[in-house]
Amino acid sequence: NAVSTERTLIDTAAMADDTFHTYAFYINAAGDIAIYYDDVLQHTMLHTDTNIVDDEDLSLYIGVQTGAGDVDYVDVDHVLVAVERNS
C-alpha cells in the first residue's frame, strides 16, 4: 500500500518498569491482524487497512525505545513465529 499512518494501539503509559509482558500477533487467512497485549485482544487490523503491506515479504524485528536515559537494554525471554500451512 502506498500510504501509511502511525498509530498507537496499546496504552504504553500503563506499563511498569521491570515487568514482563506478553505481546502476540495473529494473522488469519484473510490477512487481518489480531493484536494481543498480556493475552488480551487490544485491536484487530483488517487486511484492507493502509498500514498492512499487501505485496511484501514480512520478517520479525524487535525494536525497543526506553524512556530513561540510563536504561539501555531489554530482556526478551522467547520468540515464536509460526506459519499454518495449507494442505
Side-chain angles (χ1 to χ4, degrees), residues 35-68:
I35 301 167
Y36 294 86
Y37 170 64
D38 286 342
D39 299 323
V40 176
L41 178 65
Q42 300 294 312
H43 187 75
T44 300
M45 295 177 66
L46 300 179
H47 67 280
T48 55
D49 191 300
T50 58
N51 287 329
I52 299 176
V53 297
D54 58 4
D55 60 354
E56 300 290 335
D57 293 332
L58 299 178
S59 60
L60 178 66
Y61 174 81
I62 298 174
V64 176
Q65 178 179 354
T66 59

Side-chain angles (χ1 to χ4, degrees), residues 53-85:
V53 297
D54 58 4
D55 60 354
E56 300 290 335
D57 293 332
L58 299 178
S59 60
L60 178 66
Y61 174 81
I62 298 174
V64 176
Q65 178 179 354
T66 59
D70 59 342
V71 178
D72 57 2
Y73 71 93
V74 65
D75 293 320
V76 176
D77 189 44
H78 68 273
V79 175
L80 169 68
V81 177
V83 175
E84 183 176 342
R85 297 183 182 186

Side-chain angles (χ1 to χ4, degrees), residues 2-39:
V3 177
S4 177
T5 54
E6 183 177 329
R7 290 183 287 175
T8 301
L9 302 175
I10 296 174
D11 180 13
T12 58
M15 293 181 181
D17 290 343
D18 199 26
T19 304
F20 284 95
H21 295 283
T22 301
Y23 304 89
F25 303 89
Y26 173 75
I27 304 171
N28 66 19
D32 302 329
I33 302 174
I35 301 167
Y36 294 86
Y37 170 64
D38 286 342
D39 299 323

